[in-house]
Amino acid sequence: MMRKGYIFKVVVVGNGAVGKTSLVLRYTQHKFNENYVMTIGSNFAIAEVKLLDGELCRLQIWDLAGQAHFSFVRPPFYKGASAVILVYDVTNRRSLEELKDWKEDFSKYLPRETSLYVLANKTDLQDERVVTLEEGKNASDALGASGFWETSAKSGLNVPDVFQTIASKVYTLYCQAIKT
Ligand code: G3D
Ligand code: MG
């Protein structure tokens, strides 16, 4: 019998121009070049992920577009998310410092146990880099993240791994939750 699979919503946040949309496109275009549409205030994509136990899972990946400063777009954006991906740009220190503001924002709408991951993007821009790996890891720990990766939407570094790992973790948490 065909298994129906699971759908989990994942939201991607962070300052403008850190590479949120590029990361999602990098991932989803290589798997399925479909379903990336602009909606009011957010972009939305679907990715199918095969988990290690053979289970199929779909990620609904949302990222906030330029209208993020309008607070009315954010409650529906966050609603129902199983995981939050915080993205900063390693060439822009402020984008790292402001991750705590993003956390404060989504914490208003999502339960405390929602898992959180941090991506240090644009690592291909070695000469322009101002945030070290160490600083990024420390900030990620301080935010209480369950995972941290350095990425490049341009080269593709770690991008499949990020979404595969997050899908597995979210699925595992879901299975634990329905058992209890
Ligand atoms: P956002 O969705 O977070 O606002 P975008 O960011 O995905 O729109 O990316 C903003 C700009 O950064 C884009 O350049 C994009 O090509 C670039 N970018 C995103 N990720 C990377 C990366 O990993 N490495 C490099 N070198 N550039 C990246 P433009 O010029 O189109 O504004
Ligand atoms: Mg964008």
Side-chain angles (χ1 to χ4, degrees):
M1 193 178 80
M2 271 282 280
R3 304 293 294 269
K4 270 185 97 176
Y6 297 86
I7 300 184
F8 299 107
K9 179 175 174 180
V10 173
V11 297
V12 185
V13 297
N15 285 3
V18 296
K20 300 180 294 295
T21 302
S22 302
L23 285 163
V24 176
L25 283 175
R26 159 64 67 176
Y27 183 61
T28 56
Q29 280 187 347
H30 282 223
K31 302 271 159 139
F32 309 93
N33 39 6
E34 56 171 324
N35 286 330
Y36 207 88
V37 292
M38 284 290 282
T39 54
I40 300 171
S42 57
N43 306 308
F44 170 78
I46 301 266
E48 226 164 71
V49 184
K50 189 139 188 217
L51 302 174
L52 291 177
D53 65 359
E55 194 68 67
L56 190 65
C57 131
R58 289 187 187 79
L59 294 181
Q60 253 187 27
I61 312 170
W62 297 56
D63 80 84
L64 272 180
Q67 301 96 323
H69 52 279
F70 292 122
S71 58
F72 69 85
V73 302
R74 295 203 300 271
F77 170 78
Y78 289 123
K79 190 175 162 51
S82 299
V84 181
I85 302 177
L86 290 171
V87 184
Y88 72 93
D89 167 358
V90 299
T91 72
N92 179 336
R93 182 168 297 279
R94 191 168 169 183
S95 69
L96 173 68
E97 290 166 355
E98 293 185 358
L99 290 187
K100 62 180 185 318
D101 303 326
W102 283 104
K103 184 176 177 185
E104 197 180 311
D105 189 57
F106 72 71
S107 299
K108 290 179 210 153
Y109 307 104
L110 290 172
R112 184 181 282 275
E113 61 273 16
T114 309
S115 58
L116 164 64
Y117 304 89
V118 174
L119 305 186
N121 192 42
K122 304 200 189 182
T123 52
D124 58 285
L125 298 174
Q126 304 222 23
D127 297 342
E128 294 166 50
R129 181 172 184 136
V130 294
V131 181
T132 66
L133 171 66
E134 193 73 20
E135 288 172 316
K137 272 191 184 152
N138 290 341
S140 168
D141 288 344
L143 289 161
S146 309
F148 171 83
W149 291 266
E150 291 212 309
T151 60
S152 166
K154 188 169 181 185
S155 76
L157 176 77
N158 287 336
V159 174
D161 196 35
V162 164
F163 289 98
Q164 175 81 43
T165 304
I166 291 174
S168 302
K169 290 200 180 194
V170 163
Y171 172 68
T172 304
L173 290 171
Y174 170 80
C175 292
Q176 285 167 358
I178 56 172
K179 272 191 213 138
T180 53

